[in-house]
Amino acid sequence: MTTATETTKIDAKLVKELREKSGAPMGDCLKALQEAKGNMEDAFVVLRKRGMASAAKKASRTTNEGAVGTYIHAGGKIGVLVELNCESDFVARTEDFQELLRDIAMHIAATDPRFVGRDEVTEADLEREKDVYRSQAAATGKPPAVIEKILEGKLAKFYEEFCLLDQPFIKEQTQTISQLIAAKVAKLGENISVRRFARFKVGASDWTVATTKAPTEEASA
């Protein structure tokens, strides 16, 4: 019979490996590995879930500090500016925050998102995409209920392709940019948010300038 005091013995090397992979504190890594019975991948998922929970609790906090980061693609053909906010100048100057800023700027250069998050997708853009997807689905001759399911899947794919926070992180495809930020929120103890970004490519006829919506008086009260 297992008692409450019994815990799975975890090799210190596994704790160190999870620490390097997640950036989470050693104690949290040990607890996650114990909960996952020593399975590295499951422990990483545990930490990610806790990171998202921690980030959700801090999401309403005001972020008026932060830093602007840049990334210039090799050869100077693509350039990105991104503003990442947090709650204090102290956190903005930490290596963890600066690393996150560099990673997000590099990710934007590589993937070319068009919006920060789902909230920034305009009604006009959304309706246009829905019309296209609904027409494509209707052409298959499927029943209306199935068409709506297809539409949901198409929209999820649209958000993943064009919304920065929904995109799989270019260096670690198993986590989204939102989850990457959440992990840093859990580690640094402050709310962190992407305020805006701009991406330019030499010779391209268009460019991207994306910003989050200003909080409404009701939401920020």
Side-chain angles (χ1 to χ4, degrees), residues 17 39 49 52 55 64 88 108 111 113 118 155 173 207-208:
E17 184 180 339
N39 184 290
K49 288 179 178 177
M52 292 301 291
N64 288 329
S88 71
I108 292 170
T111 63
R118 297 186 182 199
L155 284 176
Q173 296 280 314
W207 57 88
T208 302

Side-chain angles (χ1 to χ4, degrees), residues 11-71:
D11 191 311
K13 291 180 180 178
L14 282 179
V15 179
K16 184 173 182 293
E17 184 180 339
L18 184 58
R19 159 74 176 172
E20 292 173 349
K21 182 178 181 180
S22 67
M26 296 289 277
D28 289 347
C29 291
L30 175 60
K31 290 177 182 175
L33 281 163
Q34 289 173 334
E35 184 174 330
K37 301 189 184 309
N39 184 290
M40 179 63 65
E41 295 304 318
D42 289 347
F44 189 52
V45 171
V46 169
L47 286 175
R48 283 171 52 190
K49 288 179 178 177
R50 287 176 180 167
M52 292 301 291
S54 176
K57 290 178 182 177
K58 296 178 175 67
S60 62
R61 294 187 188 175
T62 302
T63 54
N64 288 329
E65 293 293 340
V68 174
T70 63
Y71 182 83

Side-chain angles (χ1 to χ4, degrees), residues 181-195:
I181 294 173
K184 293 293 186 183
V185 170
K187 183 176 183 181
L188 297 172
E190 286 195 3
N191 187 18
I192 297 173
S193 60
V194 176
R195 176 74 180 86

